């Protein structure tokens, strides 16, 4: 189990160590699903998108 009490979801790869849902033992998210959003009115590259499920580790 990960730090947040969840199993890693091997369908969601993640390298954001600062997120509370990031598995500390592997580069995966521990959520069952995530919400992907956008901060640009007309996205053209991946950098325009965001993981809206991100929560900063405490």
């Amino acid at each position: 189990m990960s730090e947040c009490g969840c199993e890693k979801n091997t369908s969601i790869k993640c390298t954001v160590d600062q997120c509370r849902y990031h598995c500390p033992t592997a580069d995966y998210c521990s959520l069952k699903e995530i919400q992907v959003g956008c901060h640009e009115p007309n996205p053209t590259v991946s950098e325009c998108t965001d993981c809206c499920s991100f929560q900063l580790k405490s």
Side-chain angles (χ1 to χ4, degrees):
M1 282 200 173
S2 73
E3 184 174 294
C4 66
C6 304
E7 295 291 329
K8 72 179 179 182
N9 182 341
T10 57
S11 295
I12 305 174
K13 293 182 179 185
C14 180
T15 59
V16 183
D17 293 331
Q18 298 83 358
C19 183
R20 78 181 290 181
Y21 302 115
H22 181 14
C23 291
T25 58
D27 283 339
Y28 290 98
C29 181
S30 62
L31 292 173
K32 291 186 180 198
E33 62 182 27
I34 62 169
Q35 177 69 41
V36 176
C38 183
H39 60 269
E40 299 287 335
N42 185 22
T44 56
V45 293
S46 63
E47 289 81 7
C48 297
T49 61
D50 303 297
C51 177
C52 297
S53 301
F54 171 84
Q55 288 189 12
L56 185 61
K57 264 185 201 173
S58 52

